[in-house]
Amino acid sequence: MLVGQREKVVIVELEGEWLVLGVTSHSVNLLTKLDRPPDAAADVVPPGEPFARWLKAAMDKGRQQSEVVNK
């Protein structure tokens, strides 16, 4: 769902849970988590390799920043 010219809300399913994300050109923010509705379509879209690499890099960066803050 488009919220603005460069902002949108997307739903990503991960391990039976829906993550509702706010996406801008500079960030991705978790808005809420929902249980997957039992009547939701069962279409599974395999992650693309470029996104998988980006996600791993973003998670690694978050962990490194977290470690620096917690020291």
Side-chain angles (χ1 to χ4, degrees), residues 39-58:
D39 60 344
D43 295 341
V44 175
V45 178
E49 183 58 31
F51 176 76
R53 269 187 293 197
W54 174 87
L55 181 59
K56 181 179 182 326

Side-chain angles (χ1 to χ4, degrees), residues 2 18-19 33-34 47 65 71:
L2 291 174
W18 283 6
L19 307 178
K33 293 181 183 182
L34 304 168
Q65 289 176 347
K71 286 186 176 181

